[in-house]
Amino acid sequence: MSSTAFAAALAFAAGLGGAVQIAVQGRLGDRVGSLEAVATAAVVGLVLALSILVFARRSLAGVGDAVTGPKWQLLGGVMSVVIVLAITVAGPRIGVVATTAFLIAAQFGLAAVIDRYGWFGVEQVAFSWPRVLGLGLLVVGAALTLRR
């Protein structure tokens, strides 16, 4: 399998996992509390990630390298907590589809801004009318998912 095909398959699997995560986190949050559910998800994720790292690399040295690097590169961990908290709270209240739709619409919107200005070292990609129209349609689509 090529690296592109592997990356696409992994992204697809993550999309499937995201839908499951919204449903499961919401139920856990209802049962034990939203903050407790987020902390539990973080602990389970930490144990799994460290186990995979030790199995694959036979070392935890890479974690130390990551922590001693530029602090803005640690935003992924912070954003993970924000995302898990948001889906834990939103999923049971607005549903899995609406939660996913709003998450994706916001993600695409900020991604377009990040691309436009080349933030975080990514290659700059200009805004275009089709891109802006697509983002607008995503927002409209997300709003429509709230209707039952």
Side-chain angles (χ1 to χ4, degrees):
M1 176 181 280
S2 73
S3 62
T4 300
F6 177 75
L10 190 58
F12 186 82
L16 296 175
V20 171
Q21 185 182 29
I22 292 168
V24 170
Q25 275 300 119
R27 298 289 63 84
L28 181 60
D30 287 345
R31 190 169 65 79
V32 301
S34 297
L35 297 178
E36 293 82 358
V38 171
T40 301
V43 168
V44 170
L46 173 68
V47 169
L48 179 60
L50 289 178
S51 298
I52 292 169
L53 179 60
V54 168
F55 177 77
R57 300 281 193 252
R58 307 277 189 249
S59 170
L60 296 174
V63 174
D65 294 341
V67 172
T68 60
K71 298 307 176 210
W72 65 267
Q73 292 179 346
L74 302 177
L75 282 173
V78 174
M79 294 299 101
S80 294
V81 171
V82 171
I83 291 166
V84 174
L85 176 61
I87 67 173
T88 300
V89 172
R93 287 160 183 78
I94 64 174
V96 175
V97 170
T99 300
T100 304
F102 276 91
L103 188 145
I104 290 171
Q107 190 172 22
F108 277 25
L110 184 55
V113 172
I114 291 169
D115 275 352
R116 166 64 181 90
Y117 294 105
W119 293 349
F120 309 113
V122 303
E123 182 180 335
Q124 286 186 301
V125 178
F127 280 133
S128 63
W129 283 110
R131 183 174 275 220
V132 171
L133 177 62
L135 291 171
L137 290 171
L138 276 168
V139 171
V140 170
L144 289 173
T145 65
L146 289 173
R147 301 184 68 88
R148 293 184 183 235

